[in-house]
Amino acid sequence: MDELDELEVERYPEHIDTVIAAFLSGEANDSEIRELEFWRAASADNQRYFDQLKKIYTSSNEIKEVFNTDVAWKNVHSKMIIVADTPVRQLVPEKKVSDFYKWIQIAAILLVTFSIGWWFYEDNLIKTPIGILAQNTSVQDTLPDGSAFYLRAHSLLSYTKGYGKKERRLKLKGEAYFRVEHQSEVPFIIEAGGVMIKDIGTAFTVNAPPDSNYVEVIVEEGQVFFYRSNGEGINLFKGDHARYSSSTNTLTKMEAVSVNRTAYRTRMLSFENSSLSEVAKMLEEVYQVKVELSPNIRKCSLTADFKNENLETVLDVIGVTLNLNISIEGSLIKMNGQSCMN
């Protein structure tokens, strides 16, 4: 809207276009030159307005079509009132003008038309969505405001190009972890599965599986407000876990979650008498691999904790603990050994 603002009544003397026209054509007297120099030096906006008219004037010889400037100005004037909702002054005198002044009229029309077009373009531009899709692997990155996110595989995060100007609103399908750069004057809001999660200085996880009837929030630090579209909700603090059910339209606090719940991001794994089938499923999810177990070892149980270990270390521990033969073929892990069924 900067260009539109330059056309407000209060900004310029009523006759300044006439003075500019005389100056650019070499017809200005000493008094007009001094007035124009003073006016240009008064503000950066004045200088920018002068430069815009000068640029259009110097290229005006390329314009071949004959304009009915009076009709054109009336049309533009009516649009400006609708778009800007502010009074717009006449940019040219009503008296008969020379050919040069007609070019200045044309320049003014082009300038205002450009301003209107840019306003609509910019308004649509900032509403254009930007999507971040994590396909078969997780994605870790930062948002334009510096907030970090970790997007789980098969999840979609989207926001508009206007993100960060008046608010920071994102939409999530799937699961993501956020560490937010808190800005009290610019709210950070996640829309997921029909509910919203508002940051209040926080690191948290949101899980909204596509085609599911629930949304989960797990708060690791700080506080969030978890709420429905009518504004009703609950405050969650560090360690809290809550779920929204779309089938009942209810928000419920849950028991503390297992460390394995966020292992896809933290690689913190804890197994206590867990079947090898369960272990294999977690390894596939965390390390993005495929694990094949021979049928006779599926129910073997494992008790072990892993703190951000690499895959090779985890496999070595499992192999030694359960006396298994483990081979790695690219992203395929094969495990076999003696039966340990109870």
Side-chain angles (χ1 to χ4, degrees), residues 283 310-320 326 328 333 335:
L283 295 182
N310 60 44
L311 178 60
E312 289 74 13
T313 299
V314 174
L315 294 177
D316 285 343
V317 171
I318 294 174
V320 171
I326 301 177
I328 304 175
I333 311 298
M335 298 185 184

Side-chain angles (χ1 to χ4, degrees), residues 133-139 152-155 284-285 287-289:
L133 175 64
Q135 297 185 357
N136 296 323
T137 59
S138 299
V139 172
R152 192 171 184 173
H154 311 297
S155 300
E284 289 180 336
E285 189 172 324
Y287 295 99
Q288 307 298 312
V289 293

Side-chain angles (χ1 to χ4, degrees), residues 89-294:
R89 63 182 174 83
Q90 185 87 7
L91 291 183
V92 295
E94 294 183 356
K95 63 182 180 180
K96 185 176 181 180
V97 294
S98 66
D99 289 340
F100 170 77
Y101 287 92
K102 288 184 178 180
W103 283 119
I104 289 297
Q105 285 182 307
I106 294 171
I109 293 169
L110 293 176
L111 177 62
V112 177
T113 303
F114 171 79
S115 299
I116 296 172
W118 175 254
W119 183 82
F120 279 116
Y121 170 75
E122 184 179 38
D123 185 57
N124 288 327
L125 183 65
I126 65 174
K127 295 178 181 178
T128 303
I130 298 172
I132 302 169
L133 175 64
Q135 297 185 357
N136 296 323
T137 59
S138 299
V139 172
Q140 186 174 2
D141 207 341
T142 56
L143 294 163
D145 65 332
S147 296
F149 69 88
Y150 197 106
L151 189 62
R152 192 171 184 173
H154 311 297
S155 300
L156 173 65
L157 182 67
S158 63
Y159 59 94
T160 65
K161 289 188 177 181
Y163 175 91
K165 291 187 175 181
K166 295 182 179 180
E167 65 178 9
R168 297 174 293 168
R169 185 176 292 267
L170 305 99
K171 294 184 178 181
L172 174 67
K173 292 183 179 180
E175 183 168 348
Y177 164 83
F178 300 92
R179 179 170 289 277
V180 181
E181 288 291 327
H182 186 64
Q183 300 175 20
S184 57
E185 69 282 6
V186 187
F188 184 97
I189 299 172
I190 306 292
E191 295 183 29
V195 285
M196 276 69 71
I197 303 93
K198 183 178 180 180
D199 157 68
I200 310 177
T202 314
F204 59 96
T205 294
V206 179
N207 181 32
D211 303 322
S212 68
N213 64 350
Y214 71 90
V215 176
E216 288 182 317
V217 176
I218 304 168
V219 181
E220 294 189 14
E221 296 178 17
Q223 178 185 357
V224 302
F225 183 51
F226 190 19
Y227 63 103
R228 296 185 290 263
S229 57
N230 63 3
E232 296 178 354
I234 54 177
N235 287 301
L236 302 177
F237 300 87
K238 180 179 179 179
D240 284 346
H241 171 212
R243 172 178 286 203
Y244 167 75
S245 171
S246 59
S247 59
T248 59
N249 194 30
T250 56
L251 291 164
T252 308
K253 282 191 176 182
M254 312 291 288
E255 295 182 0
V257 296
S258 164
V259 65
N260 292 348
R261 180 63 187 74
T262 56
Y264 73 92
R265 174 177 56 85
T266 65
R267 290 190 177 181
M268 302 285 286
L269 292 163
S270 180
F271 301 111
E272 184 173 354
N273 291 322
S274 301
S275 71
L276 199 53
S277 293
E278 295 173 339
V279 173
K281 184 177 180 180
M282 285 301 305
L283 295 182
E284 289 180 336
E285 189 172 324
V286 172
Y287 295 99
Q288 307 298 312
V289 293
K290 175 66 177 176
V291 180
E292 288 186 358
L293 304 175
S294 58

